Structures are given as C-alpha cells and as structure tokens.
Amino acid sequence: MTSEYSGTAKASTEKNEKPWLSVVGIGEDGLKGLGENALRAIEAAEVVFGGKRHLELAAPAIRGEARAWPVPFDVEMSDVLALRGRRVCVLASGDPFFYGVGVTLLRRILAEETVCYPSPSAFSLAAARLGWALQSAECVSLHGRPIDLLRPHLHHGARIIALTSDERDPALIARLLSESGFGRSEFVLLEALGGDREERRQVRAADFGFKDIDPLNVVAIEVVADEGARVLPFTHGLDDGLFEHDGQITKREIRAVTLSSLAPRRGELLWDIGAGSGSIGIEWMLSHPSLRAIAIEQHPERAERIARNADAFGVPGLEVMIGRAPAAFEGLSPPDAIFIGGGGSETGVLDAAMDALKPGGRLVANAVTLEMEAVLLATHAKFGGSMIRLEVSRAAAVGSMSGWRPAMPVTQWNWVKPW
C-alpha cells in the first residue's frame, strides 16, 4: 500500500463479516499511518463516529455519514448502539483499548461484535521518542481526571508518562512536582506526537515556564526527589504525619495490622465506618488502582478533611458519605469489606454492617473503649471469628532519660461472613 490514500479499498471481510462495528485508532499522521484493513473499515461504514479532529483526519476515506460525538460525551454510547447490525465505524486516538473509547464501547457491546485496528498509543510514541522501556514506565492517563493521580507514582528514579487533558495540565503538573519536593525532576513536554506539529521541550519541573502549548500533549517525568519530598511508600502503615487529622486517626502500627486483616483484593469495595481522617480507606485504595472505598463520617469538618487527604494521597476517587451509621448505609453499594473504627458501640451499627456485608466478605472492628470491647466480645461469642489485642509502646523522655510509654491497647475482631 502506498502512503497516499487512493480511495479504491473495498470492505473488509474479516471474521466472515460477523462484526458490525469497527474501531479504528488513528494518529496525528492521519490516513497515511493506517493499514489497509483500517482504511477499508472506514470506507465501508455507513456511519462513522469520532471526535471533530478524528473525523477531519479521516475525511478522505469516509463514504458514509460522519457523526461527531455529542457534547457532553455519552458514555452509554446510545447513538452507536441504536445502529447495531449496520456497518458502523468508531474512530479513536491511537490504541482504543489503552485508556480509550474501545473500553467504553465494550462495556456495552460483545467483543465478537467488533473488530479493532489500533495505532500506536501516545504512551508508545512517547517511549519511542525518549528511548524508554515502556514496560518500566508508569503510564497514567490524566485526560479528564485529576492530576493528583500522579502522587502515588512520585518515587525517586521513577519514569512517568502522563497523558494530559489540555494545554493547562503541564503547568499544573510542574507545580505539583515542585510543591511536593520533586522540583529537580526532568520534565519533558511532547506535543502533537506523530503529526506535522510534533515538538519536544525539556526543563526541570521547578523551572517550567513554557507558553503556547499544544492541547494534544504528553508529559514525561524522570523523578528526582529532594530531601523531605512527600514520597508515599509501597506499604501499609504510612506515617501519621502524612495525614491531616485532629487526633481521630488509626495510628500507623494499628493501621498496618488492620489493613492486613482487611486483606484487599482486586476490584473490591470497602466501607470505612467512622472514618475520622480517612486513613484506612485511603491506604486501602493505594493498595491497587481497582479498589474503591466509601468513608462514612458524621462530622462535616472531618468529612472535608478526609476529602483533602484523599487528594493529597492521589486517591481522589474515595467517596465521602456524611451521615450517622447505620442510617448512612441506605442506598450504598454492598461492600466486600468493612472497617469499623468509630461509632461501633452505638445501637444497631455492628448488626447493620454485618447484614450489609457480601457473603464471604471481611469485617474488621477495632475497640479502644471498654464499651466497644464489650460489644466485640459478645459478638465474637455469638458469631465466631478471631480476636486479637494490640499494644504498642513508644520510647519517650523520662526526665533526662528514656522509657517506654504505652499507647491505649486496641482490641480487634476479625470476621468473615459465611456464604
């Protein structure tokens, strides 16, 4: 095939024409970067969907009706689904299944109904320009998402490739790096990758001052941590000082054991009841990007603090529910795990939590007060599970010398709901 589109391609017969929907990834080089089958899919389609830019890039190959995506974007893909059985093509940026529209489509359409022709993703193009091993880089999409998602990846020596939303994001990312103690990081701005306008600019994050940035850009970062940089370790039991709190926080040693008992697993939802500072829900979500958490807190000022902590730890998806348990449980998605850190001794809270938990789910409740401990002892006697007592002492000054100062002991009940 020549690099110039000839307009003579015929309809593809891949998969015996069973798929009615073609998904074509197109880059800034337009039609000349596509293979024969992708070109045929565009030409054969009765209707071609895509963003305005994609439709312009593919215009010489479009023989059917061109439809731009509605604004706001319809994540239900109603217009596409309404044409099921007709020859339809969807245009996407690069690789449609790497943070792309292909993922949205296949939540509603069977894979057998589609055929996909991907092009290199922005991440692949960035790695190729930089000479980076793509599998060793952290690839993060910030397109339509908070830049705080970068925070868990900020470790000295890490390489990050971030797809941005627009021309404003690079400056915001550079500021986040500088304010978090990573101002000496090498900051590479890659614009309009694969097209005639492609450009590369590089600077230290703290010195960022680029103007006239192309809205289509990718940021690549070689992370350099200054002394005192806010690094989030890959472990449970993060330093209490990293959290904003008013004293209502599960202390780091107890938190580490608690997260171990909760045993996070891919895709699970946690209810953090009496969330305080949100530390348990935050560390739960830091365990894996697929994990979700709802922090239930009756005090509005603490709920606001939880939201700020979630942003600061790069888990802005933490849902904060202001309300008093158990009434606050109404309407929430059933949890795979529950932690009760506060308010568990109040009437009906523990029973309602146990009822709401999915079969096979884990419930962990911590007690500091005698009243809550009595509730846990009675519940353990009735339903089983396991009980442990945690006691931590810290070295502290005793006059001119040092001694052990014990913290309040914590009783923990751990229960798995029968199937």
Side-chain angles (χ1 to χ4, degrees):
M1 186 186 71
T2 61
S3 60
E4 183 178 355
Y5 176 66
S6 63
T8 59
K10 303 298 182 182
S12 172
T13 57
E14 285 202 15
K15 295 189 178 180
N16 299 318
E17 297 186 341
K18 181 181 178 182
W20 59 274
L21 176 64
S22 299
V23 185
V24 175
I26 190 168
E28 287 300 290
D29 52 358
L31 297 177
K32 65 184 180 182
L34 300 182
E36 263 186 55
N37 289 334
L39 288 171
R40 288 173 177 167
I42 296 171
E43 185 189 34
E46 299 172 56
V47 182
V48 179
F49 289 92
K52 181 181 177 182
R53 179 173 58 88
H54 297 140
L55 293 174
E56 290 173 352
L57 289 168
I62 297 175
R63 299 290 178 264
E65 178 188 355
R67 289 194 198 177
W69 293 121
V71 179
F73 184 73
D74 177 19
V75 296
E76 297 299 324
M77 294 289 172
S78 304
D79 291 344
V80 176
L81 291 173
L83 299 174
R84 181 180 252 118
R86 296 176 63 183
R87 287 176 297 178
V88 179
C89 179
V90 168
L91 301 176
S93 296
D95 185 345
F97 287 93
F98 196 21
Y99 294 111
V101 72
V103 178
T104 306
L105 280 166
L106 262 71
R107 292 192 184 109
R108 293 155 185 86
I109 299 171
L110 295 174
E112 290 77 11
E113 299 179 71
T114 69
V115 58
C116 181
Y117 306 100
S119 293
S121 69
F123 300 102
S124 294
L125 291 172
R129 300 296 188 269
L130 297 165
W132 290 4
L134 185 58
Q135 71 272 15
S136 300
E138 302 289 348
C139 296
V140 183
S141 176
L142 303 178
H143 187 73
R145 306 167 77 199
I147 64 169
D148 288 313
L149 292 169
L150 285 175
R151 294 182 186 273
H153 304 291
L154 297 178
H155 286 247
H156 185 80
R159 285 177 166 176
I160 301 171
I161 302 174
L163 177 65
T164 72
S165 289
D166 52 36
E167 68 276 13
R168 295 167 294 183
D169 273 2
L172 296 175
I173 293 169
R175 185 186 308 162
L176 183 151
L177 292 169
S178 298
E179 292 176 351
S180 302
F182 301 93
R184 292 188 297 131
S185 299
E186 287 297 323
F187 189 103
V188 184
L189 180 64
L190 300 161
E191 301 167 84
L193 283 168
D196 296 335
R197 308 187 320 277
E198 180 173 322
E199 186 175 355
R200 169 179 173 167
R201 292 186 268 178
Q202 185 166 345
V203 70
R204 285 190 174 183
D207 300 325
F208 182 91
F210 298 145
K211 305 295 183 183
D212 300 320
I213 296 172
D214 195 295
L216 299 174
N217 66 80
V218 174
V219 169
I221 306 162
E222 288 198 83
V223 180
V224 178
D226 297 329
E227 184 178 352
R230 195 173 188 275
V231 179
L232 302 179
F234 299 133
T235 185
H236 292 316
L238 299 177
D239 193 296
D240 296 343
L242 291 170
F243 295 88
E244 181 185 347
H245 64 89
D246 60 359
Q248 294 299 309
I249 183 172
T250 303
K251 298 299 190 293
R252 64 181 300 179
E253 298 86 356
I254 306 301
R255 194 182 331 125
V257 175
T258 299
L259 267 296
S260 176
S261 299
L262 286 168
R265 302 170 189 174
R266 175 185 286 270
E268 290 189 328
L269 171 66
L270 170 76
W271 285 4
D272 182 1
I273 301 171
S277 66
S279 63
I280 293 292
I282 287 168
E283 290 208 32
W284 166 276
M285 291 184 67
L286 284 173
S287 299
H288 194 270
S290 70
L291 293 169
R292 298 174 297 134
I294 300 174
I296 301 167
E297 174 54 56
Q298 63 177 312
H299 300 288
E301 69 278 7
R302 287 180 181 160
E304 293 175 3
R305 190 178 293 117
I306 291 168
R308 292 195 296 271
N309 277 330
D311 289 343
F313 280 85
V315 289
L318 175 67
E319 183 178 345
V320 183
M321 170 64 67
I322 302 176
R324 193 181 189 92
F329 302 165
E330 185 175 355
L332 300 183
S333 299
D336 302 281
I338 293 176
F339 172 63
I340 302 178
S345 61
E346 296 185 20
T347 303
V349 172
L350 189 55
D351 289 340
M354 294 170 69
D355 288 342
L357 189 64
K358 289 181 181 178
R362 288 91 60 206
L363 189 152
V364 176
N366 288 354
V368 175
T369 65
L370 294 175
E371 289 78 6
M372 182 59 178
E373 185 174 274
V375 171
L376 295 187
L377 288 170
T379 308
H380 173 255
K382 184 175 181 179
F383 293 99
S386 63
M387 296 279 285
I388 60 173
R389 196 168 201 208
L390 305 169
E391 299 186 46
V392 177
S393 296
R394 295 179 176 85
V398 180
S400 61
M401 306 181 76
S402 299
W404 294 110
R405 192 176 300 279
M408 293 182 69
V410 175
T411 300
Q412 183 178 101
W413 179 54
N414 189 346
W415 177 71
V416 176
K417 187 172 183 175
W419 290 92

